[in-house]
Every structure is written in structure tokens, then in C-alpha cells.
Amino acid sequence: MQLTKEQQAILDGEKGETLAKVMKTLVMYGDAFEAEKLVPITSKYNHLVTSFGLKVMAPVYDLMQKILDAGVCSEQKFSVDPRPLDKNVPANFLQNLVFNKFMYTKQDYYENQLESLGLMDKDAFTCTCYMDEVGNRPHKDEVLSWAESSAVVYANSVLGARCNRNSGILDIMGSIVGYVPYFGLLTDEGRKASWIIKINTTKKPEAQLLGSAIGMKVMEDVPYVIGLDKWLGTELNDTTCAYLKDFGAATASNGAVGLYHIANLTPEAVEQGESLILDGARVYTIDDAELERVKNSYPVIWKNPDAAPKLCFVGCPHLSLEQLKDWTIKIENELRVNNREKVKIPTVFTAAPGVLTAFEKTDYAPRLKKTGVITSYICPLMYMNNPLCKSMPVITSSNKLRTYSSARYYTDDEILKAITGGDRA
């Protein structure tokens, strides 16, 4: 790897031992992927994936403290993934005991470290940091040092920023020295598509299912999707961006996609068209039957597959303001059809603190509360990490949550019927 004089000086320890170790880590990371150089991070803010104060993560806290003790801080302010705890989310006595006494015992300590290191503000905890209400929205071609998979794929694909799928802690190291290795999705060649995805469905495909199907097929490769604009249109409005948020999260968790292109819709596809497709790209055609096949392939790992759901999570990744409003209307209408006033299954909608604050200022918030739905800022996955939750029948419309936990997947329409007393999930 070729380093500039400034980068070499940091590596040689001219700015202290701590920064030298951080630089060495990034150089070793780049060498592993045959990066030719380090390039400056150009985004205003960073985003960190590690937000949870698990007791077993002692090495992370030790590392953070060494950085702070050396008087080092992040070159950028940053947002962080969601908090794992919220007393408003249903949990029994034993679950709360495990959460507070055994699992997340270092939460307050770690959050204090994050604030000292450069947290944007005390409520900058969300996986959807790019929401307007949060304020960490990178611009096209800006170079990032992020690690959260659903945020990385959104920033690359919908916003046209440039970021590799980094691991946790590497995200903050890039931010500390202000550089990241130049390889993969930072390069023009690395953003070319090696898969052509043809959408031949008879209706708008479920975002989570479509993303899951593509992710499991292409894994870490870049797909170029043709035919989805028929259902989404060619404008990146709130509704379309919310769809792409959920779609991308599924490609990133059910596979390892860090970038996708949607013909006639996403920035690079609009600008460069099919010149983004590599010679010899493989083709994957998705129709109604293929989506049904994918859905039916999901394992049910509940102890009792026929158990009645005891909890429902919607919002992994976090919901947008538009989605909260849409869900409010749909739940009200469906409850009315079923002659009910409140949802029959305890239901939690998760969103960024900033989004929830904006939602509370609308007339939708009291209406949603009246239905019995709980809103929260937590990470559903961190909630489901509690070992006592494994035996709990939880349903979700998130493919990411389904992949990483015992939660059972249903489409949005199926979730709506289940929680409002229609057809039971």
C-alpha cells in the first residue's frame, strides 16, 4: 500500500502511539483486500454499529478508554445503532432481569464513552441515520467509514455515497484518522454489477421478500435490477425510499449485498444505465412463484410451530415517518373491519428517536396509541438476543430480524391481519 507522507508519519508514531496503532490497523485491513492506498473520508458524519453495552464486550470498552485516555477523539461526530433497552417494550420479570443484570450492564458506561468520543447528540441512536429527522445523510460520491449493513447498502445504492461493508470498530478507526482503504465499493470497477435481476411479478413484490431472494442468490455481489421501476416508478420519493430501505436491508442480511442498482431509479443506474453491468453477468429471474418459494423456505424454529404469537416487531431497520403514518391508517381501517378497538397481539413499532419526536407532533401519534401499538427506539434484534426470547413466539415483517433471531417472518399484509384480529398468523 502506498501511503502519503502524512499517513506514513501517523503510522511512524509522529502523532502518538495510539494514532499509530489505529493507522496500523487500517493499513493491515487494506492490505488484506489488496488496497492500493488510503483515501480521505469526505462525509460530515460517521456512523457506528456498536451501540449496545453487553458485558462480554469488555475489549471494546477497554479500547475506547485507551483512545480517550490518549486524548484522541473522532475526526467526525457520529451517530450509532439503536439502543437495546426500553422499559416501554413488553418483557416479563425474568427477561428484564437478564437484560439489566446480565446482558446490558455496561450500557450507561459505554454511552458515556461514546459521548466523550464524538456522539452527534444523546439521541443519535438508530440504524437509519440517513433519515432527515436524524441528520446524518451523506451526499453522492462522499466516502464513508460505516459498518451497519442496512445503512451501508442504503447509502451506496439510494444516495450514491461510497462505503465498504466494514466491520464494527473499524468504522470508528477510520473516523479517528480520517482515512479508509481504497478497494471494493469505493472504486468505480467495484461498483459494477455481476448479476442482472429481472422482475417478472404480477404485482408489486414485497420489499423484504424480494431483497431476501436477491441477497441469497448474489451474496456479496452487486445486482442490477430490471423491471422494479414498473412498480416503484422513477422518483426517489418518501414511499420509494422506505421500500428500498427495507429491500436493501434484506439483501444485506440474507446475503451480503453492499450495493444494488435499480434501473431508471437509483442514481448511478439513472446516470450510467446498463454500462454498469459487467460482461458475462449472470441472470436471475424473479416471478411470483419464486418469491413464494423463497418465503416457504424460511425455517420455523419456534418450539411449538402452532403457538399463538405473543409479540410483534415492525421496524428492523427502523421505520420512517411516512411508514408510521401509513401503518396507523392501515391498522385503524383493519380494526374497524374486525370490530376491534385495539390490536390483539402486543405490537412494537421501532423508529429513530428523531423520527418518533416528529411523529409525536402529528395527529397520527395519538391515533396509533389508541390502537394499542407501542412505539420505541430500540433495536428489536438486541431485544431478541435475550436467551429467554428464543422460546417466545415473536412475529415480524423484517427479514433481517428473522435471519438473526427466532422471530417468524410474515408479510406486512399478514402481520396487519394477525395483529388486528383477522386471519391468525
Side-chain angles (χ1 to χ4, degrees):
M1 184 184 294
Q2 298 297 312
L3 301 182
T4 65
K5 289 183 178 180
E6 179 185 357
Q7 293 163 356
Q8 188 66 52
I10 295 173
L11 183 62
D12 292 340
E14 292 187 14
K15 292 189 177 182
E17 181 183 3
T18 298
L19 281 180
K21 288 181 177 179
V22 172
M23 180 62 81
K24 182 179 179 181
T25 302
L26 289 171
V27 169
M28 292 172 65
Y29 174 42
D31 282 342
F33 288 93
E34 300 181 347
E36 63 187 62
K37 60 183 177 180
L38 296 174
V39 293
I41 295 169
T42 57
S43 59
K44 183 177 181 180
Y45 299 115
N46 194 7
H47 180 79
L48 310 190
V49 72
T50 47
S51 60
F52 35 91
L54 280 171
K55 186 176 182 180
V56 297
M57 289 176 57
V60 171
Y61 315 135
D62 290 345
L63 174 64
M64 291 293 195
Q65 197 57 49
K66 287 177 181 177
I67 291 172
L68 290 170
D69 289 345
V72 173
C73 63
S74 173
E75 289 285 313
Q76 304 166 290
K77 295 289 187 178
F78 53 82
S79 51
V80 196
D81 263 16
R83 290 183 169 106
L85 299 172
D86 181 358
K87 59 182 175 55
N88 295 318
V89 176
N92 61 37
F93 174 78
L94 286 178
Q95 287 172 334
N96 278 325
L97 185 66
V98 171
F99 279 135
N100 295 298
K101 300 298 183 182
F102 297 97
M103 289 182 67
Y104 301 115
T105 58
K106 304 289 285 185
Q107 190 64 35
D108 290 342
Y109 176 80
Y110 184 46
E111 289 193 20
N112 285 333
Q113 286 186 319
L114 292 173
E115 287 184 23
S116 298
L117 197 59
L119 187 66
M120 286 173 58
D121 61 69
K122 64 182 179 62
D123 285 328
F125 288 84
T126 177
C127 52
T128 57
C129 59
Y130 44 80
M131 296 286 182
D132 290 339
E133 295 83 3
V134 181
N136 185 358
R137 184 183 180 89
H139 299 293
K140 189 174 182 299
D141 292 327
E142 285 188 334
V143 175
L144 319 178
S145 180
W146 294 5
E148 160 56 43
S149 62
S150 68
V152 167
V153 72
Y154 187 94
N156 276 321
S157 309
V158 181
L159 304 179
R162 299 203 170 203
C163 186
N164 281 313
R165 281 178 54 115
N166 302 303
S167 66
I169 304 305
L170 281 174
D171 47 15
I172 187 61
M173 289 190 173
S175 194
I176 287 172
V177 297
Y179 298 101
V180 286
Y182 183 71
F183 70 94
L185 298 177
L186 269 60
T187 70
D188 290 342
E189 190 65 20
R191 298 176 75 84
K192 296 288 183 70
S194 57
W195 281 89
I196 299 170
I197 312 298
K198 295 184 176 181
I199 308 299
N200 286 337
T201 57
T202 61
K203 59 183 179 180
K204 182 179 179 179
E206 187 85 6
Q208 301 271 359
L209 266 180
L210 180 62
S212 174
I214 293 173
M216 288 191 286
K217 175 65 72 172
V218 311
M219 296 307 291
E220 75 279 5
D221 291 340
V222 177
Y224 188 96
V225 184
I226 297 174
L228 189 56
D229 57 314
K230 172 184 177 182
W231 304 108
L232 300 185
T234 58
E235 180 186 353
L236 288 173
N237 53 35
D238 289 344
T239 300
T240 301
C241 287
Y243 181 101
L244 294 179
K245 165 181 68 73
D246 294 336
F247 163 80
T251 69
S253 56
N254 286 187
V257 175
L259 165 68
Y260 59 79
H261 302 293
I262 310 294
N264 303 315
L265 182 59
T266 53
E268 286 160 281
V270 170
E271 292 175 1
Q272 302 177 50
E274 295 189 2
S275 66
L276 286 167
I277 302 172
L278 291 169
D279 292 339
R282 288 171 284 182
V283 177
Y284 176 37
T285 300
I286 298 178
D287 55 17
D288 298 340
E290 176 62 1
L291 290 179
E292 189 65 22
R293 181 198 67 78
V294 169
K295 183 170 182 282
N296 291 337
S297 73
Y298 296 158
V300 178
I301 57 177
W302 289 359
K303 185 175 181 180
N304 175 12
D306 298 320
K310 292 186 178 180
L311 185 64
C312 173
F313 274 118
V314 177
C316 179
H318 276 169
L319 296 170
S320 68
L321 181 60
E322 180 87 3
Q323 286 177 306
L324 284 170
K325 293 177 180 178
D326 288 345
W327 270 104
T328 300
I329 295 170
K330 289 190 292 186
I331 289 174
E332 285 178 331
N333 291 340
E334 200 68 19
L335 286 173
R336 196 173 299 114
V337 169
N338 295 321
N339 295 314
R340 297 182 63 92
E341 293 186 357
K342 294 183 178 294
V343 293
K344 64 176 292 188
I345 300 171
T347 300
V348 180
F349 284 1
T350 60
V355 171
L356 292 177
T357 297
F359 183 63
E360 287 298 322
K361 296 177 181 178
T362 72
D363 64 352
Y364 291 89
R367 289 161 54 186
L368 183 63
K369 186 175 182 179
K370 187 177 179 181
T371 70
V373 170
I374 298 164
T375 56
S376 175
Y377 48 75
I378 69 164
C379 171
L381 178 56
M382 292 299 103
Y383 178 99
M384 292 298 295
N385 271 350
N386 189 324
L388 296 179
C389 291
K390 291 182 179 179
S391 59
M392 185 178 178
V394 177
I395 60 174
T396 184
S397 57
S398 165
N399 243 309
K400 182 172 185 177
L401 187 60
R402 173 202 71 81
T403 302
Y404 296 138
S405 76
S406 59
R408 189 170 178 176
Y409 174 81
Y410 291 95
T411 65
D412 282 349
D413 286 345
E414 291 169 336
I415 289 288
L416 180 63
K417 290 182 178 179
I419 65 177
T420 57
D423 296 339
R424 187 172 78 85

